[in-house]
Amino acid sequence: MTLPDLAAVGLDYSVAGPVATITLDRPDVRNAQTPAMWRALAAIGREIPDDVRVVVVTGRGETFSAGLDRAMLDPATQGQESVIGLLSLSDEDASAAIDEFQHGFTFLRDPRFVSVAAVRGYAIGAGFQLALSCDLRVVSDDVQFSMKESALGLVPDLTGTKPLVESVGYARALEICATARMVGAREAVDIGLVNLAVPVADLDAVVADLVAALAAPMAGVVSETKALLQGAADRDLDEQRRLEREAQIRRFRALADAFAG
């Protein structure tokens, strides 16, 4: 499968050994997002090699992402797919289109790798949801999160609601979404929204150290662990114990093969 023209939709994608890096690359509009970008993100997700262990998502410049490009809400927007264009579709077709957009976010939960959002500056709306789609979030101390959809008369529909509730709980998630207020770095750490907040100048180095640590274990260890943890809250203990046993047996076999080789 061939990737679309990523530069044309404001994305950069590279793979170096076990690490893939996806960069939102529209700094002139604070990395505002479009449906074309979401489709391209989904295409990248389908192309990530099996030997990649860590996927880093970041933004070019001083802002991770200001969210949806407001031009996508303008009926006069020409030459590209717009969100407002969904109004011309049937409910079924509009739902199918949104489902395609969501795949640009859900691939980051793939247990084959750990996804890390490196976030500086603003992460608004779709930007917030993209960060939430990642397994881990490391942010600069100037970060500002906001689920801005309610201020536009919309709901978060790019798969951010579930990880938000899982991170901060229902009541706080509802308050953050309904008020569309800003959540700064200190609060984000305190409520469990992010793993770590560091000075702006240190963000790249801290993320690099984390990526190196995540990629260090023997192939398969982290992906098996991620798969166990992802569904743990929804399983009963007997089911979780069974999955742990099966995963451990696979690890024993892999270690035996490695030693035999």
Side-chain angles (χ1 to χ4, degrees):
M1 185 177 295
T2 303
L3 289 174
D5 183 350
L6 298 181
V9 299
L11 290 172
D12 182 74
Y13 168 63
S14 63
V15 177
V19 181
T21 302
I22 300 170
T23 304
L24 307 186
D25 195 8
R26 302 182 73 207
D28 54 322
V29 289
R30 299 194 301 168
N31 298 320
Q33 300 178 33
T34 66
M37 182 184 285
W38 300 331
R39 293 184 191 278
L41 284 168
I44 289 173
R46 292 188 291 269
E47 290 292 309
I48 293 174
D50 287 339
D51 57 354
V52 164
R53 299 199 206 173
V54 184
V55 175
V56 178
V57 181
T58 191
R60 187 86 64 203
E62 298 178 354
T63 288
F64 180 73
S65 176
L68 177 67
D69 189 330
R70 294 298 183 91
M72 298 297 99
L73 296 174
D74 186 348
T77 296
Q78 299 292 325
Q80 56 185 315
E81 182 181 25
S82 68
V83 171
I84 202 70
L86 295 174
L87 293 176
S88 65
L89 303 177
S90 68
D91 287 358
E92 183 179 43
D93 289 343
S95 178
I98 295 171
D99 178 65
E100 288 188 36
F101 301 161
Q102 291 172 331
H103 285 296
F105 296 71
T106 55
F107 80 91
L108 292 163
R109 279 91 158 182
D110 192 320
R112 291 182 302 148
F113 50 76
V114 176
S115 52
V116 180
V119 186
R120 55 172 54 84
Y122 289 96
I124 308 298
F128 191 3
Q129 294 187 75
L130 186 60
L132 283 165
S133 297
C134 293
D135 299 309
L136 308 177
R137 287 168 287 283
V138 180
V139 306
S140 59
D141 56 13
D142 67 343
V143 79
Q144 293 286 334
F145 291 106
S146 175
M147 201 68 86
K148 205 71 173 178
E149 282 78 0
S150 66
L152 301 173
L154 303 171
V155 299
D157 67 341
L158 296 171
T159 77
T161 55
K162 181 176 174 61
L164 182 60
V165 171
E166 290 172 342
S167 296
V168 305
Y170 162 75
R172 197 181 300 273
L174 176 60
E175 180 262 329
I176 288 171
C177 290
T179 64
R181 69 175 179 85
M182 295 290 185
V183 178
R186 181 183 295 275
E187 181 183 2
V189 171
D190 288 346
I191 65 178
L193 183 59
V194 306
N195 297 84
L196 185 65
V198 300
V200 176
D202 296 341
L203 181 62
D204 291 341
V206 170
V207 170
D209 287 345
L210 174 61
V211 167
L214 292 169
M218 181 179 177
V221 172
V222 176
S223 59
E224 288 274 22
T225 303
K226 176 176 173 177
L228 282 172
L229 295 174
Q230 275 184 319
D234 300 320
R235 302 185 192 113
D236 63 29
L237 180 58
D238 285 343
E239 176 72 359
Q240 188 72 5
R241 289 193 305 119
R242 178 183 67 79
L243 293 172
E244 287 177 1
R245 294 193 301 270
E246 293 173 355
Q248 193 70 303
I249 291 168
R250 287 191 294 271
R251 297 311 311 150
F252 285 149
R253 302 299 185 204
L255 284 169
D257 289 344
F259 290 140

